[in-house]
Amino acid sequence: FLSLNTVLYSVRHEPDGGGDGNPNDGADGDGDDDPLGQFAWLKSQLARAAANRTWDHAPSGPPTEIVAVYIAGHIPPSVGSYRHTQLWRTRYLERYSKILREYSGGEYAPDAFDG
């Protein structure tokens, strides 16, 4: 189970005080495509899960097979149900989707993120 601080990817999050809700403007102050290094961390964790396929979580007994990795965050990478607008900035959504395609093993559903 992996958890990301997805507030950073929101169209409403502006460290410099903006926050007009435009998913394509990219004006988040520093131009960083990986706030807090979370995408790099996510890739490392997914690579680790793919390489190991087991997790030794207890001192006794056999290791547990990793069959799925769940990723959670406060703001989902989708269209909001209230305003029906994209919740993440486009560049973060594209980067996240690329990572999921790379590590999905054929189980990636891009329609889950379409508007």
Side-chain angles (χ1 to χ4, degrees):
F1 190 89
L2 305 174
S3 180
L4 300 172
N5 179 359
T6 58
V7 171
L8 301 173
Y9 309 140
S10 170
V11 296
R12 300 276 182 208
H13 180 259
E14 290 290 338
D16 63 359
D20 61 4
N22 182 348
N24 298 309
D25 68 8
D28 63 354
D30 62 3
D32 188 1
D33 284 337
D34 191 5
L36 301 180
Q38 290 189 121
F39 290 134
W41 176 81
L42 176 63
K43 285 183 73 166
S44 74
Q45 296 304 303
L46 292 174
R48 183 176 166 197
N52 294 334
R53 301 304 293 181
T54 60
W55 178 48
D56 288 319
H57 63 285
S60 62
T64 301
E65 180 182 6
I66 298 173
V67 295
V69 174
Y70 294 92
I71 304 170
H74 179 70
I75 299 175
S78 63
V79 171
S81 61
Y82 180 70
R83 290 192 176 95
H84 305 288
T85 58
Q86 186 172 307
L87 299 176
W88 282 23
R89 292 199 180 280
T90 301
R91 65 184 169 150
Y92 299 139
L93 183 61
E94 289 172 353
R95 180 108 187 251
Y96 182 73
S97 296
K98 182 179 177 183
I99 292 169
L100 293 187
R101 279 192 300 274
E102 183 178 346
Y103 291 97
S104 69
E107 300 297 323
Y108 173 67
D111 293 342
F113 306 121
D114 289 345

